[in-house]
Amino acid sequence: FLLLNSHAQSTKSNVDEELVPQYELPEILVSEKGRKIKKPEQWEKIRRPEILHLFVQEVYGKVPGEIAPPEVIVYEDRGEAFGGKAIRKQIDLVFEGNGRTLSVGVLMYLPKAASPAPVILGYNFLGNHAIVDDPEIRISESWVRNNPSLGIVNNHFTEQSRGFDAESWPVEKMLDAGFGLVTVYYGEVDPDYDDFENGIHPLFYKEGQDHPAADEWASIGAWAWGLSRVMDYLETDSDVNAKQVIVFGHSRLGKTALWAVASDQRFAACISNDSGCMGAALSRRRFGETIGIANKNFPQWFCGNFKKYSGFEDYLPIDQHMLLALIAPRPLYVASATEDLWSDPKGEFLSAQAASAVYRLYGLTAIDDEQMPSPEHPVGGVLSYHLRTGKHAVKPFDWEQYLQWAKEYVVH
Ligand code: GCU
């Protein structure tokens, strides 16, 4: 079907509900051999592995082997933060392979009142120093897209962006709710542009290789892998409750969070904020961003095998409700924003609704609502969903819901 692919058609965007085509979602609860999945054991032994394999093979790519565990360099072990409420830690994970090294800086704020603490683990877009106005936070040396209004020139961060993204990261509220925060600048694992010469990929190349093979990881696969390596570290840190690590991500990092939690069952829960196309949203609706658009604008995100689905959503053996289902029975929160049509809020809701079938197998509360809820009315339980009024962003309303939900369903 590649030959029939019309580039123009696959890169058109629609935001008119009337123009959403008829589609049929692949069955979550019927195995490849046609067996009906009725019990959690059948899900875990038969159907879940089938679906996971399809996402690895066709969408995110496989991790092409292993490298040695990273060296852990501790820059700060018990810094005082937030008026003594928290300790701050800063470490680097230094990976080595093919004679190259890659340093990934991890920033942690942990509540003193709750130790070992459940934590929220999330990548940030603008460097660790941007999430809190805290002069002690080290500034990343990694590549970043230029943004002169933030003082980012020559693809380097400067002091000017310190604390700039604090609204997206209400750390003190997290601490007060009993959660720590662990964050990493995503560009340290793989700079977000179409080139596979830097970041983690070259450390894994076999002789003569300079690009991942069609079934090997691209950037989202690499970022998800990075979260698992942070998890390896968290399992060794006695100030952290590694059984209660909630992965959070916004937008492309929400796509990453979903894949990380789907593919690594050590993570306790997942929060997907406005993750959109190839995150929580159903691809077959072709509403807002489509696979064709994402593959064209961000060829680095998905594996080579995924390119053939541009304009051919119905040929995909999966849809994104199945990615959400891979997270079951662990708590999952999917959220959208009314003005963020590019991410297809309705497609995110319908996807969470369809994934609820797997949560129900476990007898867990998920989304029973037939209709999309109105804004600011969260629905569900272990699997929850809300629509917030406003734009593509992470807002205080979102965090208020996430923290309350995490207290109810993750920390017990
Ligand atoms: C673009 C992209 C989205 C992505 C978003 C983001 O809009 O098309 O898929 O989620 O960037 O990461 O902010």
Side-chain angles (χ1 to χ4, degrees), residues 366-389:
I367 293 166
D368 296 325
D369 308 65
E370 289 285 321
Q371 299 299 323
M372 199 168 167
S374 50
E376 284 78 63
H377 282 89
V379 291
V382 176
L383 169 51
S384 278
Y385 173 86
H386 76 237
L387 175 67
R388 167 182 55 73
T389 302

PDB file of all heavy atoms in Angstrom, residues 366-389:
ATOM      1  N   ALA A 366     -12.964   2.614  35.878  1.00  0.00           N
ATOM      2  CA  ALA A 366     -12.373   3.331  34.742  1.00  0.00           C
ATOM      3  C   ALA A 366     -13.446   4.254  34.181  1.00  0.00           C
ATOM      4  O   ALA A 366     -14.240   4.805  34.946  1.00  0.00           O
ATOM      5  CB  ALA A 366     -11.836   2.338  33.720  1.00  0.00           C
ATOM      6  N   ILE A 367     -13.475   4.412  32.861  1.00  0.00           N
ATOM      7  CA  ILE A 367     -14.395   5.402  32.297  1.00  0.00           C
ATOM      8  C   ILE A 367     -15.652   4.723  31.776  1.00  0.00           C
ATOM      9  O   ILE A 367     -15.619   3.993  30.789  1.00  0.00           O
ATOM     10  CB  ILE A 367     -13.668   6.209  31.218  1.00  0.00           C
ATOM     11  CG1 ILE A 367     -12.591   7.031  31.944  1.00  0.00           C
ATOM     12  CG2 ILE A 367     -14.630   7.132  30.479  1.00  0.00           C
ATOM     13  CD1 ILE A 367     -11.582   7.628  31.087  1.00  0.00           C
ATOM     14  N   ASP A 368     -16.745   4.961  32.475  1.00  0.00           N
ATOM     15  CA  ASP A 368     -18.029   4.367  32.096  1.00  0.00           C
ATOM     16  C   ASP A 368     -18.865   5.341  31.282  1.00  0.00           C
ATOM     17  O   ASP A 368     -19.876   4.955  30.704  1.00  0.00           O
ATOM     18  CB  ASP A 368     -18.825   3.987  33.356  1.00  0.00           C
ATOM     19  CG  ASP A 368     -18.102   2.898  34.146  1.00  0.00           C
ATOM     20  OD1 ASP A 368     -17.466   2.039  33.506  1.00  0.00           O
ATOM     21  OD2 ASP A 368     -18.158   2.923  35.395  1.00  0.00           O
ATOM     22  N   ASP A 369     -18.444   6.600  31.278  1.00  0.00           N
ATOM     23  CA  ASP A 369     -19.245   7.629  30.612  1.00  0.00           C
ATOM     24  C   ASP A 369     -19.317   7.397  29.113  1.00  0.00           C
ATOM     25  O   ASP A 369     -18.310   7.154  28.463  1.00  0.00           O
ATOM     26  CB  ASP A 369     -18.622   9.015  30.860  1.00  0.00           C
ATOM     27  CG  ASP A 369     -18.396   9.250  32.331  1.00  0.00           C
ATOM     28  OD1 ASP A 369     -17.561   8.511  32.923  1.00  0.00           O
ATOM     29  OD2 ASP A 369     -19.044  10.122  32.888  1.00  0.00           O
ATOM     30  N   GLU A 370     -20.508   7.502  28.578  1.00  0.00           N
ATOM     31  CA  GLU A 370     -20.704   7.358  27.128  1.00  0.00           C
ATOM     32  C   GLU A 370     -20.213   8.608  26.414  1.00  0.00           C
ATOM     33  O   GLU A 370     -19.596   8.544  25.366  1.00  0.00           O
ATOM     34  CB  GLU A 370     -22.203   7.207  26.825  1.00  0.00           C
ATOM     35  CG  GLU A 370     -22.803   5.880  27.265  1.00  0.00           C
ATOM     36  CD  GLU A 370     -22.384   4.763  26.321  1.00  0.00           C
ATOM     37  OE1 GLU A 370     -22.325   5.020  25.099  1.00  0.00           O
ATOM     38  OE2 GLU A 370     -22.107   3.651  26.816  1.00  0.00           O
ATOM     39  N   GLN A 371     -20.554   9.750  27.020  1.00  0.00           N
ATOM     40  CA  GLN A 371     -20.247  11.038  26.379  1.00  0.00           C
ATOM     41  C   GLN A 371     -19.016  11.659  27.014  1.00  0.00           C
ATOM     42  O   GLN A 371     -18.748  11.464  28.198  1.00  0.00           O
ATOM     43  CB  GLN A 371     -21.417  12.015  26.566  1.00  0.00           C
ATOM     44  CG  GLN A 371     -22.732  11.577  25.964  1.00  0.00           C
ATOM     45  CD  GLN A 371     -22.629  11.386  24.453  1.00  0.00           C
ATOM     46  OE1 GLN A 371     -21.931  12.148  23.778  1.00  0.00           O
ATOM     47  NE2 GLN A 371     -23.289  10.354  23.940  1.00  0.00           N
ATOM     48  N   MET A 372     -18.352  12.459  26.229  1.00  0.00           N
ATOM     49  CA  MET A 372     -17.221  13.205  26.749  1.00  0.00           C
ATOM     50  C   MET A 372     -17.698  14.145  27.864  1.00  0.00           C
ATOM     51  O   MET A 372     -18.727  14.806  27.698  1.00  0.00           O
ATOM     52  CB  MET A 372     -16.667  14.017  25.594  1.00  0.00           C
ATOM     53  CG  MET A 372     -15.295  14.468  25.837  1.00  0.00           C
ATOM     54  SD  MET A 372     -14.642  15.099  24.307  1.00  0.00           S
ATOM     55  CE  MET A 372     -13.217  15.880  24.966  1.00  0.00           C
ATOM     56  N   PRO A 373     -16.986  14.202  28.987  1.00  0.00           N
ATOM     57  CA  PRO A 373     -17.430  15.079  30.069  1.00  0.00           C
ATOM     58  C   PRO A 373     -17.244  16.553  29.696  1.00  0.00           C
ATOM     59  O   PRO A 373     -16.440  16.878  28.826  1.00  0.00           O
ATOM     60  CB  PRO A 373     -16.509  14.709  31.229  1.00  0.00           C
ATOM     61  CG  PRO A 373     -15.283  14.186  30.580  1.00  0.00           C
ATOM     62  CD  PRO A 373     -15.731  13.520  29.307  1.00  0.00           C
ATOM     63  N   SER A 374     -17.980  17.439  30.393  1.00  0.00           N
ATOM     64  CA  SER A 374     -17.766  18.860  30.144  1.00  0.00           C
ATOM     65  C   SER A 374     -16.448  19.273  30.805  1.00  0.00           C
ATOM     66  O   SER A 374     -15.920  18.561  31.663  1.00  0.00           O
ATOM     67  CB  SER A 374     -18.950  19.668  30.682  1.00  0.00           C
ATOM     68  OG  SER A 374     -19.208  19.275  32.001  1.00  0.00           O
ATOM     69  N   PRO A 375     -15.935  20.446  30.411  1.00  0.00           N
ATOM     70  CA  PRO A 375     -14.649  20.884  30.972  1.00  0.00           C
ATOM     71  C   PRO A 375     -14.692  20.955  32.502  1.00  0.00           C
ATOM     72  O   PRO A 375     -15.742  21.250  33.090  1.00  0.00           O
ATOM     73  CB  PRO A 375     -14.450  22.278  30.378  1.00  0.00           C
ATOM     74  CG  PRO A 375     -15.268  22.283  29.133  1.00  0.00           C
ATOM     75  CD  PRO A 375     -16.430  21.372  29.387  1.00  0.00           C
ATOM     76  N   GLU A 376     -13.545  20.697  33.110  1.00  0.00           N
ATOM     77  CA  GLU A 376     -13.389  20.755  34.583  1.00  0.00           C
ATOM     78  C   GLU A 376     -14.274  19.745  35.319  1.00  0.00           C
ATOM     79  O   GLU A 376     -14.619  19.967  36.474  1.00  0.00           O
ATOM     80  CB  GLU A 376     -13.644  22.178  35.102  1.00  0.00           C
ATOM     81  CG  GLU A 376     -12.506  23.149  34.853  1.00  0.00           C
ATOM     82  CD  GLU A 376     -12.434  23.674  33.429  1.00  0.00           C
ATOM     83  OE1 GLU A 376     -13.361  24.354  32.980  1.00  0.00           O
ATOM     84  OE2 GLU A 376     -11.419  23.380  32.756  1.00  0.00           O
ATOM     85  N   HIS A 377     -14.617  18.642  34.646  1.00  0.00           N
ATOM     86  CA  HIS A 377     -15.352  17.564  35.305  1.00  0.00           C
ATOM     87  C   HIS A 377     -14.639  16.229  35.109  1.00  0.00           C
ATOM     88  O   HIS A 377     -14.994  15.476  34.201  1.00  0.00           O
ATOM     89  CB  HIS A 377     -16.781  17.477  34.774  1.00  0.00           C
ATOM     90  CG  HIS A 377     -17.674  18.513  35.347  1.00  0.00           C
ATOM     91  ND1 HIS A 377     -17.831  19.752  34.774  1.00  0.00           N
ATOM     92  CD2 HIS A 377     -18.418  18.524  36.477  1.00  0.00           C
ATOM     93  CE1 HIS A 377     -18.643  20.479  35.520  1.00  0.00           C
ATOM     94  NE2 HIS A 377     -19.014  19.756  36.563  1.00  0.00           N
ATOM     95  N   PRO A 378     -13.645  15.961  35.959  1.00  0.00           N
ATOM     96  CA  PRO A 378     -12.912  14.694  35.810  1.00  0.00           C
ATOM     97  C   PRO A 378     -13.848  13.497  35.929  1.00  0.00           C
ATOM     98  O   PRO A 378     -14.806  13.544  36.698  1.00  0.00           O
ATOM     99  CB  PRO A 378     -11.929  14.719  36.985  1.00  0.00           C
ATOM    100  CG  PRO A 378     -11.828  16.144  37.391  1.00  0.00           C
ATOM    101  CD  PRO A 378     -13.138  16.770  37.066  1.00  0.00           C
ATOM    102  N   VAL A 379     -13.573  12.453  35.153  1.00  0.00           N
ATOM    103  CA  VAL A 379     -14.362  11.225  35.239  1.00  0.00           C
ATOM    104  C   VAL A 379     -13.412  10.035  35.393  1.00  0.00           C
ATOM    105  O   VAL A 379     -12.232  10.130  35.088  1.00  0.00           O
ATOM    106  CB  VAL A 379     -15.247  11.012  33.985  1.00  0.00           C
ATOM    107  CG1 VAL A 379     -16.355  12.050  33.936  1.00  0.00           C
ATOM    108  CG2 VAL A 379     -14.419  11.016  32.699  1.00  0.00           C
ATOM    109  N   GLY A 380     -13.975   8.913  35.857  1.00  0.00           N
ATOM    110  CA  GLY A 380     -13.198   7.678  35.942  1.00  0.00           C
ATOM    111  C   GLY A 380     -12.743   7.384  37.346  1.00  0.00           C
ATOM    112  O   GLY A 380     -13.374   7.803  38.326  1.00  0.00           O
ATOM    113  N   GLY A 381     -11.644   6.661  37.473  1.00  0.00           N
ATOM    114  CA  GLY A 381     -11.150   6.233  38.774  1.00  0.00           C
ATOM    115  C   GLY A 381      -9.686   5.856  38.618  1.00  0.00           C
ATOM    116  O   GLY A 381      -8.838   6.722  38.425  1.00  0.00           O
ATOM    117  N   VAL A 382      -9.384   4.562  38.652  1.00  0.00           N
ATOM    118  CA  VAL A 382      -7.998   4.127  38.440  1.00  0.00           C
ATOM    119  C   VAL A 382      -7.534   4.635  37.066  1.00  0.00           C
ATOM    120  O   VAL A 382      -6.415   5.117  36.910  1.00  0.00           O
ATOM    121  CB  VAL A 382      -7.884   2.591  38.537  1.00  0.00           C
ATOM    122  CG1 VAL A 382      -6.466   2.142  38.229  1.00  0.00           C
ATOM    123  CG2 VAL A 382      -8.310   2.123  39.930  1.00  0.00           C
ATOM    124  N   LEU A 383      -8.414   4.527  36.088  1.00  0.00           N
ATOM    125  CA  LEU A 383      -8.192   5.217  34.821  1.00  0.00           C
ATOM    126  C   LEU A 383      -9.097   6.451  34.812  1.00  0.00           C
ATOM    127  O   LEU A 383     -10.323   6.325  34.864  1.00  0.00           O
ATOM    128  CB  LEU A 383      -8.530   4.299  33.634  1.00  0.00           C
ATOM    129  CG  LEU A 383      -8.599   4.948  32.242  1.00  0.00           C
ATOM    130  CD1 LEU A 383      -7.367   5.763  31.922  1.00  0.00           C
ATOM    131  CD2 LEU A 383      -8.787   3.882  31.179  1.00  0.00           C
ATOM    132  N   SER A 384      -8.487   7.629  34.814  1.00  0.00           N
ATOM    133  CA  SER A 384      -9.249   8.880  34.874  1.00  0.00           C
ATOM    134  C   SER A 384      -9.005   9.728  33.638  1.00  0.00           C
ATOM    135  O   SER A 384      -8.007   9.553  32.934  1.00  0.00           O
ATOM    136  CB  SER A 384      -8.849   9.694  36.114  1.00  0.00           C
ATOM    137  OG  SER A 384      -9.517   9.229  37.267  1.00  0.00           O
ATOM    138  N   TYR A 385      -9.913  10.653  33.425  1.00  0.00           N
ATOM    139  CA  TYR A 385      -9.802  11.571  32.285  1.00  0.00           C
ATOM    140  C   TYR A 385     -10.371  12.928  32.681  1.00  0.00           C
ATOM    141  O   TYR A 385     -11.393  12.982  33.373  1.00  0.00           O
ATOM    142  CB  TYR A 385     -10.603  11.037  31.081  1.00  0.00           C
ATOM    143  CG  TYR A 385     -10.659  12.038  29.947  1.00  0.00           C
ATOM    144  CD1 TYR A 385      -9.644  12.089  29.000  1.00  0.00           C
ATOM    145  CD2 TYR A 385     -11.702  12.962  29.856  1.00  0.00           C
ATOM    146  CE1 TYR A 385      -9.666  13.042  27.989  1.00  0.00           C
ATOM    147  CE2 TYR A 385     -11.729  13.915  28.843  1.00  0.00           C
ATOM    148  CZ  TYR A 385     -10.701  13.949  27.911  1.00  0.00           C
ATOM    149  OH  TYR A 385     -10.710  14.891  26.919  1.00  0.00           O
ATOM    150  N   HIS A 386      -9.737  13.994  32.235  1.00  0.00           N
ATOM    151  CA  HIS A 386     -10.421  15.287  32.299  1.00  0.00           C
ATOM    152  C   HIS A 386     -10.101  16.143  31.076  1.00  0.00           C
ATOM    153  O   HIS A 386      -9.078  15.969  30.411  1.00  0.00           O
ATOM    154  CB  HIS A 386     -10.138  16.055  33.603  1.00  0.00           C
ATOM    155  CG  HIS A 386      -8.797  16.716  33.694  1.00  0.00           C
ATOM    156  ND1 HIS A 386      -7.899  16.454  34.703  1.00  0.00           N
ATOM    157  CD2 HIS A 386      -8.184  17.676  32.932  1.00  0.00           C
ATOM    158  CE1 HIS A 386      -6.812  17.200  34.547  1.00  0.00           C
ATOM    159  NE2 HIS A 386      -6.953  17.942  33.484  1.00  0.00           N
ATOM    160  N   LEU A 387     -11.044  17.066  30.848  1.00  0.00           N
ATOM    161  CA  LEU A 387     -10.896  18.087  29.816  1.00  0.00           C
ATOM    162  C   LEU A 387     -10.813  19.409  30.565  1.00  0.00           C
ATOM    163  O   LEU A 387     -11.662  19.691  31.413  1.00  0.00           O
ATOM    164  CB  LEU A 387     -12.141  18.048  28.922  1.00  0.00           C
ATOM    165  CG  LEU A 387     -12.258  19.120  27.847  1.00  0.00           C
ATOM    166  CD1 LEU A 387     -11.181  18.937  26.785  1.00  0.00           C
ATOM    167  CD2 LEU A 387     -13.646  19.033  27.188  1.00  0.00           C
ATOM    168  N   ARG A 388      -9.768  20.166  30.300  1.00  0.00           N
ATOM    169  CA  ARG A 388      -9.616  21.480  30.939  1.00  0.00           C
ATOM    170  C   ARG A 388      -9.904  22.565  29.912  1.00  0.00           C
ATOM    171  O   ARG A 388      -9.569  22.406  28.736  1.00  0.00           O
ATOM    172  CB  ARG A 388      -8.177  21.622  31.481  1.00  0.00           C
ATOM    173  CG  ARG A 388      -7.796  23.025  31.893  1.00  0.00           C
ATOM    174  CD  ARG A 388      -6.360  23.130  32.385  1.00  0.00           C
ATOM    175  NE  ARG A 388      -5.352  22.630  31.459  1.00  0.00           N
ATOM    176  CZ  ARG A 388      -4.975  23.233  30.337  1.00  0.00           C
ATOM    177  NH1 ARG A 388      -5.517  24.370  29.954  1.00  0.00           N
ATOM    178  NH2 ARG A 388      -4.042  22.691  29.556  1.00  0.00           N
ATOM    179  N   THR A 389     -10.493  23.666  30.353  1.00  0.00           N
ATOM    180  CA  THR A 389     -10.683  24.804  29.465  1.00  0.00           C
ATOM    181  C   THR A 389      -9.317  25.425  29.196  1.00  0.00           C
ATOM    182  O   THR A 389      -8.541  25.636  30.125  1.00  0.00           O
ATOM    183  CB  THR A 389     -11.576  25.866  30.143  1.00  0.00           C
ATOM    184  OG1 THR A 389     -12.815  25.243  30.464  1.00  0.00           O
ATOM    185  CG2 THR A 389     -11.818  27.049  29.232  1.00  0.00           C
TER     186      THR A 389
END
